[in-house]
Amino acid sequence: MADITSLIQNADGSYVEYYYLHTLRLHEWQNSDEMTQRPVFPGAVPFPNLRRLEIRHANPFGDDTPFRGNAATLESLSLSPSTSTDRILREYKIFTPGSHPKLHYVSIEGMPYSRPNIFKTEIEYLRFVLSIGPNAPVRTILDSLKGSTPQSILPMFGAYTCIQVLNLENFHLELWDTIALIKALPLLSDLRATFSVLGPRPDGVSEPELPAYVIANYYPMGKRFRCWCIEFETFELHVFREAVHCVLLLALVCPNFDYAAVPRGEREVVMAYMNEMIATDAFRPHASQLRRLLFGGRENQILSVDVAQAEYEEERARWS
Protein backbone atom coordinates (compact mmCIF):
# COMPACT_ATOMS: atom_id res chain seq x y z
CA MET A 1 0.00 0.00 0.00
CA ALA A 2 2.90 2.34 0.78
CA ASP A 3 4.24 1.79 -2.70
CA ILE A 4 0.93 2.79 -4.27
CA THR A 5 0.72 5.90 -2.10
CA SER A 6 4.22 7.04 -3.03
CA LEU A 7 3.35 6.45 -6.69
CA ILE A 8 0.47 8.90 -6.54
CA GLN A 9 1.31 11.35 -3.77
CA ASN A 10 4.40 13.39 -2.96
CA ALA A 11 5.74 13.74 0.57
CA ASP A 12 4.14 17.20 0.83
CA GLY A 13 0.70 15.75 0.01
CA SER A 14 0.53 17.03 -3.57
CA TYR A 15 -0.45 14.63 -6.32
CA VAL A 16 1.89 13.34 -9.03
CA GLU A 17 0.88 13.60 -12.67
CA TYR A 18 2.37 11.22 -15.25
CA TYR A 19 1.46 13.25 -18.29
CA TYR A 20 3.51 11.23 -20.78
CA LEU A 21 2.63 7.79 -19.44
CA HIS A 22 0.65 5.82 -22.05
CA THR A 23 0.77 2.29 -20.63
CA LEU A 24 0.05 1.17 -17.06
CA ARG A 25 0.12 -2.35 -15.61
CA LEU A 26 -1.17 -2.92 -12.08
CA HIS A 27 -0.66 -6.37 -10.55
CA GLU A 28 -1.49 -7.73 -7.13
CA TRP A 29 -0.73 -11.29 -6.23
CA GLN A 30 -1.18 -12.40 -2.62
CA ASN A 31 -4.69 -12.39 -1.12
CA SER A 32 -5.33 -9.34 -3.25
CA ASP A 33 -9.07 -9.65 -3.53
CA GLU A 34 -9.52 -10.07 0.21
CA MET A 35 -7.84 -6.75 1.02
CA THR A 36 -10.37 -4.36 2.53
CA GLN A 37 -8.19 -1.30 3.15
CA ARG A 38 -7.10 0.23 -0.14
CA PRO A 39 -5.75 3.75 -0.60
CA VAL A 40 -8.00 6.41 -2.07
CA PHE A 41 -6.85 9.64 -3.68
CA PRO A 42 -9.76 12.07 -4.12
CA GLY A 43 -8.96 14.72 -6.69
CA ALA A 44 -5.87 13.00 -8.09
CA VAL A 45 -5.60 12.65 -11.89
CA PRO A 46 -2.26 10.86 -12.23
CA PHE A 47 -2.70 9.28 -15.67
CA PRO A 48 -4.39 11.88 -17.91
CA ASN A 49 -3.14 10.48 -21.24
CA LEU A 50 -3.28 6.76 -20.59
CA ARG A 51 -3.90 4.60 -23.66
CA ARG A 52 -3.45 1.06 -22.35
CA LEU A 53 -4.48 -0.15 -18.90
CA GLU A 54 -4.02 -3.62 -17.46
CA ILE A 55 -5.26 -4.57 -13.99
CA ARG A 56 -4.43 -8.09 -12.91
CA HIS A 57 -5.98 -9.96 -9.98
CA ALA A 58 -7.38 -6.87 -8.27
CA ASN A 59 -7.48 -3.10 -8.39
CA PRO A 60 -4.93 -1.92 -5.79
CA PHE A 61 -6.78 1.39 -5.40
CA GLY A 62 -9.85 1.91 -3.28
CA ASP A 63 -11.33 4.29 -5.82
CA ASP A 64 -11.31 5.09 -9.55
CA THR A 65 -7.82 6.67 -9.58
CA PRO A 66 -6.42 4.74 -12.59
CA PHE A 67 -9.48 5.62 -14.71
CA ARG A 68 -9.63 9.36 -14.02
CA GLY A 69 -9.01 11.87 -16.76
CA ASN A 70 -8.24 9.37 -19.52
CA ALA A 71 -11.68 8.50 -20.91
CA ALA A 72 -10.84 10.37 -24.12
CA THR A 73 -7.50 8.57 -24.64
CA LEU A 74 -8.00 5.00 -23.34
CA GLU A 75 -7.74 2.53 -26.23
CA SER A 76 -7.09 -0.87 -24.65
CA LEU A 77 -8.29 -2.37 -21.38
CA SER A 78 -7.36 -5.74 -19.89
CA LEU A 79 -8.82 -6.87 -16.57
CA SER A 80 -9.10 -9.87 -14.30
CA PRO A 81 -12.57 -10.19 -12.78
CA SER A 82 -12.47 -9.41 -9.08
CA THR A 83 -14.69 -8.08 -6.35
CA SER A 84 -12.63 -4.92 -5.97
CA THR A 85 -12.58 -4.09 -9.69
CA ASP A 86 -16.26 -4.86 -10.12
CA ARG A 87 -17.14 -2.59 -7.19
CA ILE A 88 -15.10 0.31 -8.59
CA LEU A 89 -16.61 0.03 -12.06
CA ARG A 90 -20.14 0.01 -10.71
CA GLU A 91 -19.79 2.51 -7.87
CA TYR A 92 -18.04 5.16 -9.97
CA LYS A 93 -20.01 4.44 -13.18
CA ILE A 94 -16.77 4.49 -15.14
CA PHE A 95 -18.17 3.17 -18.42
CA THR A 96 -21.25 4.91 -19.77
CA PRO A 97 -22.48 5.23 -23.38
CA GLY A 98 -20.08 7.42 -25.33
CA SER A 99 -17.66 7.88 -22.44
CA HIS A 100 -14.65 6.16 -24.04
CA PRO A 101 -14.68 6.93 -27.77
CA LYS A 102 -11.26 5.40 -28.52
CA LEU A 103 -11.65 2.17 -26.54
CA HIS A 104 -11.30 -0.60 -29.13
CA TYR A 105 -9.99 -3.60 -27.22
CA VAL A 106 -11.47 -5.07 -24.04
CA SER A 107 -10.16 -8.35 -22.63
CA ILE A 108 -11.46 -10.11 -19.55
CA GLU A 109 -9.13 -12.89 -18.46
CA GLY A 110 -10.01 -15.36 -15.76
CA MET A 111 -12.95 -17.71 -15.50
CA PRO A 112 -15.54 -17.41 -12.75
CA TYR A 113 -15.39 -21.10 -11.87
CA SER A 114 -11.68 -20.74 -11.09
CA ARG A 115 -12.44 -17.87 -8.70
CA PRO A 116 -15.67 -19.04 -7.02
CA ASN A 117 -15.45 -16.38 -4.32
CA ILE A 118 -15.93 -13.58 -6.87
CA PHE A 119 -19.05 -14.48 -8.85
CA LYS A 120 -21.82 -16.79 -7.74
CA THR A 121 -22.81 -17.82 -11.25
CA GLU A 122 -21.49 -17.62 -14.79
CA ILE A 123 -24.44 -15.37 -15.64
CA GLU A 124 -23.28 -12.88 -13.02
CA TYR A 125 -19.81 -13.07 -14.57
CA LEU A 126 -21.22 -12.42 -18.04
CA ARG A 127 -23.04 -9.34 -16.77
CA PHE A 128 -19.73 -8.12 -15.39
CA VAL A 129 -18.03 -8.63 -18.75
CA LEU A 130 -20.79 -6.88 -20.68
CA SER A 131 -20.78 -3.94 -18.28
CA ILE A 132 -17.24 -2.97 -19.26
CA GLY A 133 -16.97 -0.57 -22.14
CA PRO A 134 -20.44 -1.27 -23.57
CA ASN A 135 -19.80 1.18 -26.40
CA ALA A 136 -16.41 -0.29 -27.38
CA PRO A 137 -16.63 -1.00 -31.11
CA VAL A 138 -14.44 -4.10 -30.90
CA ARG A 139 -14.86 -6.48 -28.00
CA THR A 140 -13.75 -9.94 -27.11
CA ILE A 141 -15.51 -12.00 -24.48
CA LEU A 142 -13.61 -15.05 -23.28
CA ASP A 143 -15.96 -17.27 -21.34
CA SER A 144 -16.88 -20.93 -21.10
CA LEU A 145 -20.32 -20.30 -19.59
CA LYS A 146 -20.51 -23.82 -18.24
CA GLY A 147 -24.02 -24.87 -17.40
CA SER A 148 -25.60 -21.85 -19.05
CA THR A 149 -28.14 -22.09 -21.84
CA PRO A 150 -28.61 -19.86 -24.90
CA GLN A 151 -32.01 -18.85 -23.57
CA SER A 152 -30.40 -17.55 -20.37
CA ILE A 153 -27.67 -15.42 -21.91
CA LEU A 154 -28.78 -14.33 -25.40
CA PRO A 155 -31.24 -11.69 -24.09
CA MET A 156 -28.36 -9.94 -22.33
CA PHE A 157 -26.70 -9.00 -25.59
CA GLY A 158 -29.61 -6.81 -26.64
CA ALA A 159 -28.20 -3.84 -24.71
CA TYR A 160 -24.78 -4.15 -26.36
CA THR A 161 -25.61 -3.85 -30.05
CA CYS A 162 -22.23 -2.26 -30.85
CA ILE A 163 -20.37 -5.56 -30.37
CA GLN A 164 -18.41 -6.43 -33.51
CA VAL A 165 -16.28 -9.35 -32.36
CA LEU A 166 -17.53 -12.02 -29.99
CA ASN A 167 -15.66 -14.97 -28.55
CA LEU A 168 -17.84 -17.51 -26.77
CA GLU A 169 -15.23 -20.16 -27.22
CA ASN A 170 -16.86 -23.10 -25.48
CA PHE A 171 -20.47 -22.02 -25.62
CA HIS A 172 -22.63 -24.39 -27.67
CA LEU A 173 -24.88 -22.83 -30.31
CA GLU A 174 -27.59 -24.40 -32.42
CA LEU A 175 -28.73 -22.83 -35.70
CA TRP A 176 -31.60 -20.91 -34.13
CA ASP A 177 -29.39 -19.66 -31.27
CA THR A 178 -26.88 -18.38 -33.82
CA ILE A 179 -29.61 -16.62 -35.78
CA ALA A 180 -30.91 -14.99 -32.59
CA LEU A 181 -27.40 -13.85 -31.67
CA ILE A 182 -26.67 -12.32 -35.08
CA LYS A 183 -30.06 -10.58 -35.11
CA ALA A 184 -29.40 -9.14 -31.63
CA LEU A 185 -25.98 -7.81 -32.69
CA PRO A 186 -26.36 -5.97 -36.01
CA LEU A 187 -22.68 -4.91 -36.11
CA LEU A 188 -21.30 -8.39 -35.39
CA SER A 189 -18.69 -9.39 -37.96
CA ASP A 190 -16.71 -12.19 -36.30
CA LEU A 191 -17.95 -15.00 -34.08
CA ARG A 192 -16.08 -17.80 -32.37
CA ALA A 193 -18.30 -20.43 -30.79
CA THR A 194 -18.82 -24.17 -30.56
CA PHE A 195 -21.34 -25.73 -32.89
CA SER A 196 -23.74 -28.07 -31.14
CA VAL A 197 -26.45 -29.42 -33.46
CA LEU A 198 -28.73 -27.95 -36.09
CA GLY A 199 -31.57 -28.00 -33.58
CA PRO A 200 -35.25 -28.83 -33.93
CA ARG A 201 -36.98 -27.59 -37.09
CA PRO A 202 -40.00 -25.28 -36.83
CA ASP A 203 -43.32 -27.09 -36.80
CA GLY A 204 -44.40 -28.21 -40.24
CA VAL A 205 -41.04 -27.43 -41.90
CA SER A 206 -39.19 -30.37 -43.44
CA GLU A 207 -35.42 -30.40 -43.90
CA PRO A 208 -35.61 -29.68 -47.67
CA GLU A 209 -37.84 -26.70 -46.89
CA LEU A 210 -35.37 -25.07 -44.50
CA PRO A 211 -33.58 -22.88 -47.11
CA ALA A 212 -36.87 -21.34 -48.26
CA TYR A 213 -38.02 -20.99 -44.64
CA VAL A 214 -34.95 -19.07 -43.41
CA ILE A 215 -34.98 -16.79 -46.47
CA ALA A 216 -38.66 -15.99 -45.99
CA ASN A 217 -38.28 -15.31 -42.28
CA TYR A 218 -34.79 -13.87 -41.79
CA TYR A 219 -33.39 -12.39 -44.98
CA PRO A 220 -31.61 -10.04 -44.82
CA MET A 221 -29.91 -10.04 -41.42
CA GLY A 222 -26.39 -9.66 -40.09
CA LYS A 223 -25.28 -7.50 -43.01
CA ARG A 224 -21.83 -7.12 -41.42
CA PHE A 225 -21.45 -10.72 -40.33
CA ARG A 226 -18.61 -12.30 -42.30
CA CYS A 227 -16.81 -15.02 -40.36
CA TRP A 228 -17.60 -17.85 -37.97
CA CYS A 229 -14.69 -19.65 -36.36
CA ILE A 230 -16.31 -22.97 -35.50
CA GLU A 231 -15.21 -25.05 -32.54
CA PHE A 232 -16.28 -28.69 -32.29
CA GLU A 233 -16.82 -30.60 -29.08
CA THR A 234 -16.74 -33.92 -30.93
CA PHE A 235 -15.38 -34.91 -34.32
CA GLU A 236 -18.18 -37.23 -35.42
CA LEU A 237 -19.14 -37.03 -39.09
CA HIS A 238 -22.80 -36.26 -38.45
CA VAL A 239 -21.73 -33.18 -36.43
CA PHE A 240 -19.66 -31.91 -39.36
CA ARG A 241 -22.58 -32.48 -41.72
CA GLU A 242 -24.97 -30.54 -39.49
CA ALA A 243 -22.42 -27.75 -39.09
CA VAL A 244 -22.16 -27.43 -42.88
CA HIS A 245 -25.95 -27.39 -43.11
CA CYS A 246 -26.08 -24.62 -40.51
CA VAL A 247 -23.39 -22.58 -42.29
CA LEU A 248 -25.18 -22.84 -45.66
CA LEU A 249 -28.46 -21.69 -44.14
CA LEU A 250 -26.74 -18.72 -42.51
CA ALA A 251 -25.06 -17.84 -45.80
CA LEU A 252 -28.51 -17.58 -47.41
CA VAL A 253 -29.63 -14.85 -45.02
CA CYS A 254 -26.34 -13.07 -44.12
CA PRO A 255 -25.26 -11.36 -47.38
CA ASN A 256 -21.58 -10.96 -46.46
CA PHE A 257 -20.99 -14.20 -44.60
CA ASP A 258 -18.28 -15.88 -46.66
CA TYR A 259 -15.81 -17.61 -44.33
CA ALA A 260 -16.16 -20.50 -41.89
CA ALA A 261 -12.94 -21.37 -40.10
CA VAL A 262 -12.68 -25.04 -39.17
CA PRO A 263 -9.90 -27.26 -37.78
CA ARG A 264 -7.20 -27.82 -40.39
CA GLY A 265 -7.66 -31.58 -40.62
CA GLU A 266 -11.41 -31.37 -41.21
CA ARG A 267 -11.46 -29.00 -44.19
CA GLU A 268 -11.75 -31.73 -46.82
CA VAL A 269 -14.61 -33.39 -44.95
CA VAL A 270 -16.66 -30.23 -44.63
CA MET A 271 -15.97 -29.19 -48.22
CA ALA A 272 -17.22 -32.59 -49.40
CA TYR A 273 -20.40 -32.12 -47.38
CA MET A 274 -20.83 -28.60 -48.78
CA ASN A 275 -20.58 -29.80 -52.38
CA GLU A 276 -22.98 -32.63 -51.63
CA MET A 277 -25.58 -30.31 -50.09
CA ILE A 278 -25.34 -27.61 -52.75
CA ALA A 279 -26.22 -30.30 -55.31
CA THR A 280 -29.51 -31.09 -53.55
CA ASP A 281 -32.83 -29.69 -54.77
CA ALA A 282 -33.10 -27.55 -51.62
CA PHE A 283 -29.86 -25.63 -52.16
CA ARG A 284 -29.30 -25.93 -55.92
CA PRO A 285 -31.26 -22.74 -56.76
CA HIS A 286 -28.80 -20.82 -54.55
CA ALA A 287 -25.64 -22.57 -55.74
CA SER A 288 -23.99 -19.50 -57.26
CA GLN A 289 -24.49 -17.56 -54.05
CA LEU A 290 -23.21 -20.37 -51.85
CA ARG A 291 -20.12 -21.08 -53.95
CA ARG A 292 -18.56 -17.87 -52.58
CA LEU A 293 -18.56 -19.46 -49.13
CA LEU A 294 -15.14 -20.75 -48.08
CA PHE A 295 -14.44 -23.35 -45.44
CA GLY A 296 -10.86 -22.59 -44.54
CA GLY A 297 -8.37 -23.45 -41.87
CA ARG A 298 -7.89 -21.09 -38.98
CA GLU A 299 -4.27 -20.63 -40.01
CA ASN A 300 -5.51 -18.87 -43.16
CA GLN A 301 -7.97 -16.57 -41.43
CA ILE A 302 -6.98 -13.95 -38.90
CA LEU A 303 -10.11 -12.83 -37.13
CA SER A 304 -10.55 -9.26 -36.00
CA VAL A 305 -10.38 -10.47 -32.42
CA ASP A 306 -7.00 -12.04 -33.14
CA VAL A 307 -5.73 -8.84 -34.75
CA ALA A 308 -6.76 -6.80 -31.73
CA GLN A 309 -5.23 -9.28 -29.32
CA ALA A 310 -2.04 -9.61 -31.37
CA GLU A 311 -1.59 -5.85 -31.39
CA TYR A 312 -2.17 -5.75 -27.66
CA GLU A 313 0.26 -8.60 -26.97
CA GLU A 314 2.87 -6.91 -29.14
CA GLU A 315 2.54 -3.78 -27.07
CA ARG A 316 2.67 -5.78 -23.86
CA ALA A 317 5.89 -7.46 -25.00
CA ARG A 318 7.44 -4.01 -25.31
CA TRP A 319 6.50 -3.21 -21.72
CA SER A 320 8.23 -6.30 -20.34
Side-chain angles (χ1 to χ4, degrees):
M1 188 180 302
D3 290 341
I4 286 291
T5 300
S6 61
L7 177 71
I8 303 300
Q9 201 164 24
N10 293 314
D12 62 2
S14 62
Y15 290 128
V16 181
E17 182 181 276
Y18 300 92
Y19 187 83
Y20 295 103
L21 184 68
H22 293 161
T23 299
L24 177 65
R25 301 173 70 188
L26 298 171
H27 287 207
E28 285 191 347
W29 296 100
Q30 296 180 345
N31 299 320
S32 58
D33 211 44
E34 285 68 43
M35 289 175 56
T36 56
Q37 297 297 320
R38 297 171 183 272
V40 297
F41 302 97
V45 185
F47 315 113
N49 291 304
L50 203 62
R51 296 177 185 173
R52 290 168 291 275
L53 175 61
E54 178 180 323
I55 300 178
R56 285 284 171 265
H57 304 286
N59 181 6
F61 296 96
D63 58 14
D64 62 337
T65 296
F67 296 96
R68 285 190 205 135
N70 50 50
T73 60
L74 192 65
E75 300 172 358
S76 178
L77 177 66
S78 183
L79 299 175
S80 296
S82 71
T83 302
S84 61
T85 301
D86 188 23
R87 181 186 66 80
I88 295 298
L89 294 177
R90 296 177 189 278
E91 181 178 331
Y92 290 88
K93 297 180 173 61
I94 291 172
F95 295 103
T96 57
S99 64
H100 291 71
K102 292 187 177 180
L103 185 62
H104 65 79
Y105 178 72
V106 178
S107 175
I108 311 300
E109 297 182 10
M111 299 303 175
Y113 53 82
S114 66
R115 302 283 297 280
N117 58 314
I118 298 174
F119 298 101
K120 295 179 181 179
T121 66
E122 274 94 2
I123 297 301
E124 184 179 342
Y125 173 74
L126 180 61
R127 288 195 181 99
F128 169 82
V129 172
L130 290 175
S131 71
I132 298 175
N135 62 308
V138 176
R139 298 180 46 83
T140 173
I141 298 175
L142 307 174
D143 197 353
S144 70
L145 293 174
K146 288 186 175 179
S148 302
T149 64
Q151 292 72 27
S152 65
I153 74 151
L154 290 178
M156 295 185 193
F157 289 107
Y160 303 91
T161 57
C162 59
I163 295 176
Q164 291 183 2
V165 178
L166 185 61
N167 186 342
L168 296 172
E169 193 160 335
N170 296 312
F171 189 61
H172 295 183
L173 293 178
E174 298 179 358
L175 168 65
W176 312 109
D177 303 324
T178 309
I179 287 176
L181 185 64
I182 295 172
K183 286 184 65 179
L185 302 174
L187 299 184
L188 185 68
S189 64
D190 296 57
L191 172 66
R192 174 174 284 147
T194 300
F195 176 78
S196 175
V197 293
L198 195 64
R201 296 189 300 271
D203 292 340
V205 179
S206 65
E207 183 173 309
E209 295 172 325
L210 279 174
Y213 176 85
V214 295
I215 291 172
N217 287 275
Y218 300 110
Y219 181 86
M221 72 171 202
K223 294 182 179 180
R224 298 196 182 187
F225 185 64
R226 67 177 188 88
C227 178
W228 181 10
C229 184
I230 306 174
E231 306 286 344
F232 292 97
E233 186 176 38
T234 67
F235 292 90
E236 299 176 15
L237 290 179
H238 74 91
V239 175
F240 292 131
R241 188 182 190 283
E242 289 207 356
V244 171
H245 198 175
C246 178
V247 167
L248 291 179
L249 292 170
L250 286 178
L252 291 177
V253 294
C254 300
N256 295 306
F257 176 39
D258 60 9
Y259 197 97
V262 295
R264 179 186 303 179
E266 313 306 329
R267 183 176 181 273
E268 291 186 7
V269 174
V270 297
M271 286 297 294
Y273 278 133
M274 184 184 81
N275 291 329
E276 174 188 316
M277 288 188 184
I278 290 179
T280 63
D281 291 341
F283 285 105
R284 191 180 301 116
H286 314 286
S288 60
Q289 175 186 354
L290 296 175
R291 290 292 180 190
R292 64 177 168 78
L293 183 65
L294 176 63
F295 282 90
R298 294 170 192 160
E299 71 280 1
N300 297 325
Q301 175 68 8
I302 301 178
L303 305 183
S304 299
V305 61
D306 298 323
V307 172
Q309 190 159 5
E311 291 175 350
Y312 181 72
E313 292 299 332
E314 183 179 348
E315 288 293 332
R316 194 162 74 169
R318 293 194 187 114
W319 314 340
S320 303

